[in-house]
Amino acid sequence: MKGKRFLSILSVAIILAMLLVAIPAVPALADAEIDVLPSSGAVGDEDIEVEGAGFAIEDTVYLYFSNEEADEGDDVDDLDSYEELFSIVANSIGYFSGSFDVPDELDDGSEDIDVTGGQYYVYATYTDGGDIVAIGEFNVIGISLSPDEGPVDTEVSVNGSGFEDNEEIEITFGSTSVDISGGDEDTDNDGEFTSYFLVPESTAGDHTVTVTVGSDEAEAEFTVEPEIEIDPEDGAVNDLITVTGTGFGYKKDVTITFDGDDVAEDETSSKGSFEATFHVPEVSAGEYEIEAEDESDNSASANFTISTDVSISPTTTASSPGAVGDSLTISGTGFKTSSEITVTYQSTPVVFTTTSESDGSFSYTFTVPPSQAGEHTITASDGVSSMSVKFYMESTPPEIPQPLEPYMEGKAKSLAYFDWEDVAGDIDGVVEQSLPITYDLQVATDENFTISSLVVNKTGLTTSEYTLTEDEALEKTNKETPYYYWRIRAVDAASNASSWTGAGTFTLGFSFDFDFSGWLLYVLMGVGALVLFFVGFWLGRRGGGGDYY
């Protein structure tokens, strides 16, 4: 019995031993730890050592690099940005040693970011993307540039961290040492800084910016872009334009175009710069693109504006207008050089011509022609470019004329004579500006001066009197038309008309409307002589008749 019991106990022991062997060892999370040697370095540094101890025997350990701080027990997959470094199996005493290169980007998480200077973390897990069991720290000695591309003379901000503290900062652009134009000149107590520099003259493409602080060094890339500047930026046809270019290729042929047409050529220097000149071609006013492109397809452009402009003197407004007969000077710039300029007072229109100067400017003085009150457009054109300016004509009418003849209810001849006072002022009581004054005269058989009743309608009379012609002779008044009605008004050269006078009335009296001249005059003279002869003969007979018997 004892033997059988011994065998049973032995069997149970063997089974328990087998079960214990089958159950994996539970890692002691609190004991696992990692060290990163060295604890700092720059992006791209190689063979950064990671040592782990206290890990599960012969278990796989996964290592990750992240900029986000986390705690043991957190899930790596919960981080937004990280990079898987490597995986390794712990040895029989739970130890491992491996190495990694400092990555330039974290792209295994939900967000991709570039690795820059600052504090980063190395996380260890037992499963791919699982819970964190140990944490190490790594300080990235690095810089970031803002912006990281642009033309020569761009001001660049350099943000650095992970450097030695309280040390002088040195910056080089390619092989050129550059001055710190602003910001920090030394790192702070945490080895951080923000400094500024201006991009030096250099060729197009990528250039390495190196920051050295003591024994620490970090690099970043800046891309130089081509740029041109033009002087002047606006002007006129035939102006001399200087084009200065930077950031082009090394000793490359460069072509300059104006609105797509070749206007100049040059060669860049060893630092990608050039300077060329050309004259503005004959084009109309507007904005044009000037472009420079080298044989390596580096190109840049700028805009040039041909700005024509005109003005008048004196200036006028709706509240401060001018008048007919004013002396007006129109001046312009930005037109074709030494060319005929046509000035058009468009409302009439009246056209004047002059010639521009060698710089495209002109000045011309003319007398404002008769034209209606209100806004008028004056245009200057060289046949390619045109520019307009507004002129405002006064709108104050003249005073009302004072009638003189015919008198009210007086008599007139069929070839009636009308007379009125001259008008020299306007209704505001000041001297009329828009001369000359003309007059309108109307005669009607109706005091309302309806169209059907008008018998005389004269406009533009230049004097303050008028006598009807034979074709305008009035018919005698009668019971149906006992009166004629007449009225007048004054009109200035800006077409401003006064009110009509009140309606004057007159009738037609008897008169000889004959022309006593020529043959009719001789006939009447002959008849008069005969009458005188017979009267004298009769008187003679009565005085001495006895003698004839």
Side-chain angles (χ1 to χ4, degrees), residues 124 214 292 375 392 435 437 446 448 492 523 546:
E375 181 182 295
Y392 293 86
L435 299 175
I437 296 289
D446 181 348
N448 295 319
D492 66 19
V523 168

Side-chain angles (χ1 to χ4, degrees), residues 228-248:
I228 62 170
E229 294 182 354
I230 58 175
D231 183 33
E233 295 180 348
D234 56 67
V237 171
N238 206 41
D239 277 358
L240 183 66
I241 307 299
T242 299
V243 182
T244 303
T246 57
F248 285 79

Side-chain angles (χ1 to χ4, degrees), residues 248-309:
F248 285 79
Y250 173 88
K251 292 190 176 181
K252 299 292 183 180
D253 291 333
V254 62
T255 301
I256 295 92
T257 60
F258 184 96
D259 196 31
D261 296 328
D262 293 355
V263 290
E265 292 183 350
D266 201 1
E267 182 182 54
T268 63
S269 68
S270 60
K271 293 185 178 181
S273 301
F274 72 88
E275 183 175 286
T277 60
F278 68 92
H279 289 276
V280 177
E282 288 194 2
V283 292
S284 60
E287 188 174 78
Y288 295 88
E289 182 183 65
I290 297 174
E291 183 179 38
E293 183 174 0
D294 67 21
E295 55 188 311
S296 296
D297 298 328
N298 297 304
S299 65
S301 62
N303 290 327
F304 178 81
T305 302
I306 296 178
S307 52
T308 54
D309 185 45

Side-chain angles (χ1 to χ4, degrees), residues 360-405:
S361 66
F362 75 91
S363 181
Y364 182 77
T365 301
F366 65 95
T367 300
V368 177
S371 47
Q372 291 187 342
E375 181 182 295
H376 296 265
T377 300
I378 304 173
T379 301
S381 174
D382 59 10
V384 177
S385 299
S386 295
M387 186 63 65
S388 299
V389 64
K390 298 297 184 183
F391 173 81
Y392 293 86
M393 177 68 73
E394 60 95 7
S395 58
T396 304
E399 62 184 358
I400 303 172
Q402 297 300 312
L404 296 176
E405 291 187 51

Side-chain angles (χ1 to χ4, degrees), residues 49-124:
E49 186 84 14
V50 181
E51 293 184 349
F55 285 84
I57 297 170
E58 296 181 353
D59 204 348
T60 301
V61 180
Y62 297 85
L63 290 113
Y64 301 88
F65 193 79
S66 177
N67 65 318
E68 297 180 49
E69 186 175 5
D71 297 323
E72 292 182 5
D74 291 343
D75 196 324
V76 167
D77 281 340
D78 290 337
L79 301 176
D80 292 327
S81 54
Y82 61 87
E83 181 80 7
E84 184 173 349
L85 298 176
F86 60 88
S87 61
I88 192 169
V89 177
N91 64 14
S92 59
I93 60 173
Y95 172 85
F96 71 83
S97 177
S99 64
F100 69 93
D101 299 337
V102 180
D104 59 2
E105 184 179 25
L106 308 180
D107 58 9
D108 288 335
S110 58
E111 295 181 3
D112 296 347
I113 68 166
D114 293 330
V115 175
T116 58
Q119 187 68 56
Y120 286 78
Y121 303 91
V122 177
Y123 296 122

Side-chain angles (χ1 to χ4, degrees), residues 127-382:
T127 59
D128 189 4
D131 293 342
I132 297 171
V133 297
I135 301 172
E137 295 182 353
F138 184 82
N139 184 40
V140 175
I141 302 171
I143 58 173
S144 61
L145 307 179
S146 179
D148 60 4
E149 61 182 9
V152 170
D153 284 335
T154 296
E155 185 175 61
V156 180
S157 169
V158 185
N159 295 294
S161 59
F163 290 86
E164 296 179 25
D165 60 328
N166 300 310
E167 292 286 344
E168 184 181 2
I169 302 163
E170 295 180 3
I171 302 175
T172 58
F173 188 93
S175 59
T176 302
S177 177
V178 295
D179 294 330
I180 295 176
S181 59
D184 299 323
E185 295 187 358
D186 299 299
T187 58
D188 61 15
N189 293 333
D190 297 321
E192 298 178 349
F193 67 90
T194 298
S195 303
Y196 299 88
F197 73 91
L198 299 177
V199 175
E201 185 181 10
S202 47
T203 58
D206 294 338
H207 296 262
T208 300
V209 177
T210 304
V211 172
T212 303
V213 178
S215 60
D216 294 335
E217 188 176 276
E219 297 179 346
E221 294 295 322
F222 184 90
T223 302
V224 173
E225 298 176 332
E227 182 183 51
I228 62 170
E229 294 182 354
I230 58 175
D231 183 33
E233 295 180 348
D234 56 67
V237 171
N238 206 41
D239 277 358
L240 183 66
I241 307 299
T242 299
V243 182
T244 303
T246 57
F248 285 79
Y250 173 88
K251 292 190 176 181
K252 299 292 183 180
D253 291 333
V254 62
T255 301
I256 295 92
T257 60
F258 184 96
D259 196 31
D261 296 328
D262 293 355
V263 290
E265 292 183 350
D266 201 1
E267 182 182 54
T268 63
S269 68
S270 60
K271 293 185 178 181
S273 301
F274 72 88
E275 183 175 286
T277 60
F278 68 92
H279 289 276
V280 177
E282 288 194 2
V283 292
S284 60
E287 188 174 78
Y288 295 88
E289 182 183 65
I290 297 174
E291 183 179 38
E293 183 174 0
D294 67 21
E295 55 188 311
S296 296
D297 298 328
N298 297 304
S299 65
S301 62
N303 290 327
F304 178 81
T305 302
I306 296 178
S307 52
T308 54
D309 185 45
V310 294
S311 62
I312 56 173
S313 179
T315 58
T316 61
T317 64
S319 59
S320 180
V324 174
D326 282 355
S327 180
L328 197 66
T329 299
I330 181 170
S331 301
T333 58
F335 289 82
K336 290 170 58 178
T337 60
S338 304
S339 300
E340 184 178 83
I341 304 296
T342 302
V343 178
T344 306
Y345 187 89
Q346 291 183 329
S347 303
T348 308
V350 178
V351 179
F352 312 94
T353 58
T354 186
T355 302
S356 63
E357 302 292 336
S358 58
D359 62 355
S361 66
F362 75 91
S363 181
Y364 182 77
T365 301
F366 65 95
T367 300
V368 177
S371 47
Q372 291 187 342
E375 181 182 295
H376 296 265
T377 300
I378 304 173
T379 301
S381 174
D382 59 10

